[in-house]
């Protein structure tokens, strides 16, 4: 039964490998790579990877993210590590080439025809294809087809890797026990907010904190846009003429005046901004997303809002910068006050823990000791190794400590959201082989464990080639 489950799950694995292989982070490299020319960026399997190759890989990953997220790309951009994805893509492609894998033109054509956004009335539409490549992805057909051919090649190497992973029944059961065993714990939480009122921040200390952690206060790229606001009745008739007029390098004001439509100008906007004056928030989010996808001075296509339509043009770009202290003094003071409060909470938790240990040594239980100290004991519900725990949130250190300790043992002080805590496990709920065999979701679990084994493969694989993945020292 287990072998048949594993066989079925392999069919799904190839599609998720790229999501679970851990990032191969190259600290301090990317910004230099994007601007450097005339040298190579790194070596993979002994082969020099040029700056152009890296930038092309980065662009391919960006296009893939836009295709995945659509209009939500802007909202999710901060969570997408395109830099690491670009390196991961290069490594996969080199591995595919080493294995002699190829993609035929027929495979590519059939793949492209399946994209729904290139279709009109169920069939591939060449005009729509060219339009989307130019206006949305800003690439030529040749560039896009090369990217998609590489994507198919990467899918093949992922399948090749998945097929090579062998998992025994015992391995599967042992991992199942680790993931399904549950623990309950008592814990004491010391809230940093209780100390905020007692923290005083002197200006010289704030300046020192700012100088040590300037990157925390970096202001990201900002853009200002001009916006032509259209009524529904203006689309498509008048809107097509407006776009055509703007293509003749007319200013937004000139075009708006010519067609008697409203034009607005935003303030400088961050990629994460949500508001533009006189525009509904949902429409503003769509506009801001488009603004960060297009080039300076370029007019957009029609952006559909809830009750209006918009055409925008980016008329100002302010590059990321570190502000002067006076610009962000309030944020610096708040950040420092938060850090000092967290430090005080940690110290308090350590003191309470030491006193509790002394009382327990004299014969008190954990609950009795904490009660004598005048603080509150909280009890978790049953949780597993990766659970999100009520009132604690996602805290891998808490979960790991609870599972590594014996019943009644007390953990070290653990950092938590807004404070510090320590815990003691009070109950362990084990699983049996019968539980394992009767689990109706065993197929899903096997899929999860496959992903963990792939993660292990990737770590080992990259470790073996670490010496060949040598960065140019001048980029560090």
């Amino acid at each position: 039964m287990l072998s048949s489950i594993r066989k079925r799950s392999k069919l799904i694995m190839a599609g998720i490998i790229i999501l679970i292989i851990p990032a191969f982070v190259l600290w301090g490299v990317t910004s230099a790579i994007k601007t450097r020319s005339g040298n190579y960026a790194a070596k993979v399997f002994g082969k020099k990877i040029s700056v152009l190759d890296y930038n092309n890989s980065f662009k391919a990953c960006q296009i893939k993210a836009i295709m995945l997220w659509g209009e939500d790309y802007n909202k999710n951009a901060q969570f997408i590590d395109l830099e690491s994805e670009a390196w991961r893509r290069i490594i996969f492609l080199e591995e595919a080439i080493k294995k002699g894998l190829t993609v035929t033109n027929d495979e590519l054509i059939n793949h492209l025809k399946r994209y729904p956004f290139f279709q009109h009335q169920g069939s591939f539409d060449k005009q729509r294809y060219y339009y989307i490549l130019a206006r949305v992805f800003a690439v030529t057909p040749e560039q896009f087809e090369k990217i998609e051919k590489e994507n198919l090649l990467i899918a093949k190497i992922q399948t090749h890797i998945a097929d090579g992973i062998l998992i025994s029944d015992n391995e599967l059961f042992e991992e199942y026990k680790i993931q399904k065993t549950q623990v309950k714990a008592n814990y004491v939480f010391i809230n940093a907010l209780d100390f905020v009122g007692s923290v005083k921040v002197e200006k010289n200390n704030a300046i020192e904190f700012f100088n040590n952690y300037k990157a925390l206060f970096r202001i990201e790229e900002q853009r200002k846009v001009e916006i032509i606001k259209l009524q529904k009745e203006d689309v498509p008739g008048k809107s097509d003429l407006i776009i055509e007029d703007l293509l003749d390098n007319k200013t937004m004001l000139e075009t708006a005046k010519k067609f008697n439509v409203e034009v607005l100008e935003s303030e400088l906007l961050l990629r994460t901004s949500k508001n533009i004056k006189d525009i509904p928030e949902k429409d503003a989010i769509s506009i801001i997303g488009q603004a960060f996808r297009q080039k300076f001075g370029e007019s957009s296509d029609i952006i559909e809002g809830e009750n209006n339509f918009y055409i925008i043009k980016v008329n100002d770009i302010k590059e990321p910068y570190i502000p002067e202290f006076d610009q962000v003094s309030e944020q610096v003071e708040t950040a420092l006050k938060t850090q000092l409060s967290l430090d005080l909470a940690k110290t308090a938790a350590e003191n309470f823990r030491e006193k509790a240990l002394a009382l327990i040594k004299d014969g008190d239980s954990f609950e009795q000791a904490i009660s004598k100290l005048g603080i509150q004991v909280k009890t978790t519900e049953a949780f597993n190794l990766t659970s999100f725990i009520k009132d604690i949130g996602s805290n891998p250190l808490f979960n790991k400590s609870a599972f590594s300790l014996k019943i009644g043992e007390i953990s070290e002080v653990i950092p938590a959201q807004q404070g510090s805590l320590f815990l003691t496990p009070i109950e362990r709920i084990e699983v049996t082989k019968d539980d394992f065999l009767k689990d109706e979701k065993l197929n899903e679990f096997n899929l999860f464990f496959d992903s963990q084994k792939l993660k292990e493969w990737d770590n080992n694989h990259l470790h073996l080639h670490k010496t060949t993945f040598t960065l140019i020292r001048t980029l560090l």
Side-chain angles (χ1 to χ4, degrees):
M1 183 188 78
L2 297 179
S3 59
S4 66
I5 289 173
R6 283 195 291 278
K7 185 176 180 181
R8 288 197 300 275
S9 71
K10 294 291 183 187
L11 300 175
I12 312 170
M13 281 310 303
I16 68 164
I17 294 175
I18 198 68
L19 300 178
I20 54 84
I21 291 184
F24 188 48
V25 181
L26 304 168
W27 294 101
V29 174
T30 313
S31 59
I33 287 173
K34 289 180 183 176
T35 57
R36 188 179 176 88
S37 60
N39 215 331
Y40 65 93
K43 285 183 180 179
V44 177
F45 307 118
K47 177 182 176 182
K48 291 180 180 180
I49 303 299
S50 70
V51 174
L52 179 61
D53 287 338
Y54 170 80
N55 286 338
N56 287 342
S57 182
F58 186 94
K59 177 69 173 177
C61 293
Q62 189 175 47
I63 288 173
K64 188 171 183 177
I66 292 170
M67 291 167 73
L68 176 65
W69 293 103
E71 291 184 355
D72 291 329
Y73 171 73
N74 183 58
K75 289 187 287 186
N76 292 285
Q78 60 183 314
F79 306 113
I80 305 170
D81 188 356
L82 291 176
E83 297 165 358
S84 295
E85 289 292 327
W87 284 115
R88 192 179 300 146
R89 180 184 180 87
I90 288 168
I91 293 168
F92 270 131
L93 287 172
E94 289 303 317
E95 182 71 7
I97 291 168
K98 279 179 60 185
K99 298 295 183 185
L101 302 179
T102 59
V103 173
T104 67
N105 287 336
D106 284 344
E107 285 177 304
L108 176 63
I109 291 167
N110 290 332
H111 171 69
L112 294 176
K113 285 181 176 179
R114 284 196 290 268
Y115 280 125
F117 41 82
F118 293 146
Q119 296 177 3
H120 179 64
Q121 295 181 344
S123 300
F124 181 80
D125 188 312
K126 200 169 184 179
Q127 282 187 315
R128 183 183 292 244
Y129 175 68
Y130 289 140
Y131 180 84
I132 291 174
L133 296 191
R135 299 291 293 186
V136 179
F137 301 143
V139 292
T140 66
E142 291 78 14
Q143 290 171 325
F144 183 75
E145 286 156 20
K146 180 176 183 292
I147 288 169
E148 289 301 297
K149 201 166 191 176
E150 290 173 346
N151 287 343
L152 289 173
L153 198 57
I154 289 169
K156 287 188 176 186
I157 190 61
Q158 290 166 359
T159 301
H160 180 81
I161 293 166
D163 288 343
I165 293 172
L166 300 175
I167 303 167
S168 71
D169 293 352
N170 283 337
E171 276 185 295
L172 195 61
F173 176 54
E174 288 305 314
E175 184 63 22
Y176 182 88
K177 284 200 298 184
I178 291 171
Q179 298 298 329
K180 296 295 184 178
T181 295
Q182 292 186 311
V183 166
K184 289 183 181 179
N186 283 342
Y187 68 96
V188 171
F189 173 66
I190 307 300
N191 197 329
L193 294 177
D194 295 338
F195 298 89
V196 171
S198 62
V199 173
K200 304 297 179 187
V201 173
E202 301 293 337
K203 185 175 181 180
N204 60 325
N205 292 332
I207 291 172
E208 182 182 3
F209 182 79
F210 173 73
N211 288 333
N212 289 334
Y213 301 100
K214 284 184 177 181
L216 292 175
F217 305 99
R218 180 176 186 262
I219 295 177
E220 300 298 333
E221 179 186 304
Q222 299 172 86
R223 296 190 171 200
K224 187 182 287 188
V225 292
E226 291 178 300
I227 306 161
I228 287 180
K229 188 175 181 181
L230 302 170
Q231 306 301 317
K232 286 188 176 181
E233 56 268 22
D234 294 328
V235 180
K238 187 184 286 188
S239 63
D240 291 342
L241 297 174
I242 290 172
I243 291 172
E244 189 177 333
D245 199 61
L246 289 169
L247 290 174
D248 292 332
N249 295 318
K250 298 283 181 64
T251 67
M252 295 286 266
L253 285 172
E254 287 173 331
T255 298
K257 187 175 181 180
K258 177 178 177 179
F259 290 95
N260 193 31
V261 291
E262 184 180 3
V263 63
L264 307 170
E265 185 175 45
S266 76
E267 298 179 343
L268 281 168
L269 302 165
L270 290 164
R271 190 184 293 271
T272 53
S273 297
K274 294 183 178 179
N275 297 299
I276 299 173
K277 187 180 178 182
D278 298 328
I279 292 178
E281 182 178 309
K282 188 175 179 181
D283 293 3
I285 290 172
S286 297
I287 289 169
I288 293 164
Q290 179 59 39
F292 278 86
R293 286 196 292 269
Q294 66 188 56
K295 298 175 183 177
F296 174 83
E298 180 182 77
S299 57
S300 73
D301 194 6
I302 293 292
I303 300 170
E304 184 175 356
E306 287 187 295
N307 297 304
N308 296 97
F309 292 82
Y310 308 91
I311 301 169
I312 69 169
K313 181 183 285 189
V314 177
N315 65 354
D316 189 17
I317 297 178
K318 190 170 184 178
E319 297 298 328
Y321 70 98
I322 303 292
E324 295 297 322
F325 171 78
D326 289 341
Q327 247 185 293
V328 289
S329 58
E330 288 187 12
Q331 294 101 299
V332 174
E333 183 178 335
T334 299
L336 179 53
K337 187 174 282 193
T338 299
Q339 184 58 56
L340 293 174
S341 299
L342 288 168
D343 292 343
L344 289 172
K346 180 184 177 184
T347 300
E350 288 170 343
N351 290 337
F352 282 126
R353 178 181 177 275
E354 289 303 316
K355 291 176 181 177
L357 285 172
L359 290 168
I360 291 168
K361 189 175 181 181
D362 289 337
D364 285 343
S365 66
F366 181 81
E367 296 78 6
Q368 289 169 335
I370 298 304
S371 178
K372 286 182 180 180
L373 294 173
I375 50 179
Q376 182 183 5
V377 174
K378 294 185 176 182
T379 302
T380 69
E381 297 176 348
F383 61 92
N384 62 33
L385 196 57
T386 57
S387 289
F388 183 96
I389 303 171
K390 183 181 178 183
D391 296 331
I392 293 174
S394 177
N395 190 325
L397 278 176
F398 184 97
N399 296 45
K400 187 176 180 180
S401 294
F403 275 80
S404 63
L405 295 171
K406 295 177 182 177
I407 301 297
E409 289 184 335
I410 298 174
S411 73
E412 298 294 327
V413 169
I414 298 168
Q417 292 179 16
Q418 298 185 340
S420 291
L421 54 80
F422 56 94
L423 67 94
T424 181
I426 59 172
E427 184 182 356
R428 191 177 182 91
I429 307 164
E430 303 281 1
V431 294
T432 66
K433 194 72 172 274
D434 284 342
D435 296 328
F436 172 62
L437 294 172
K438 291 175 182 177
D439 193 337
E440 293 180 356
K441 294 185 177 180
L442 188 54
N443 191 26
E444 294 177 20
F445 174 77
N446 184 68
L447 182 60
F448 167 78
F449 187 46
D450 274 358
S451 74
Q452 299 300 102
K453 296 295 286 185
L454 280 164
K455 192 179 291 186
E456 181 183 322
W457 174 90
D458 186 68
N459 284 334
N460 293 336
H461 188 74
L462 289 175
H463 176 72
L464 288 172
H465 295 285
K466 198 171 184 180
T467 55
T468 63
F469 200 87
T470 309
L471 301 177
I472 297 175
R473 293 298 176 190
T474 54
L475 292 180
L476 295 174

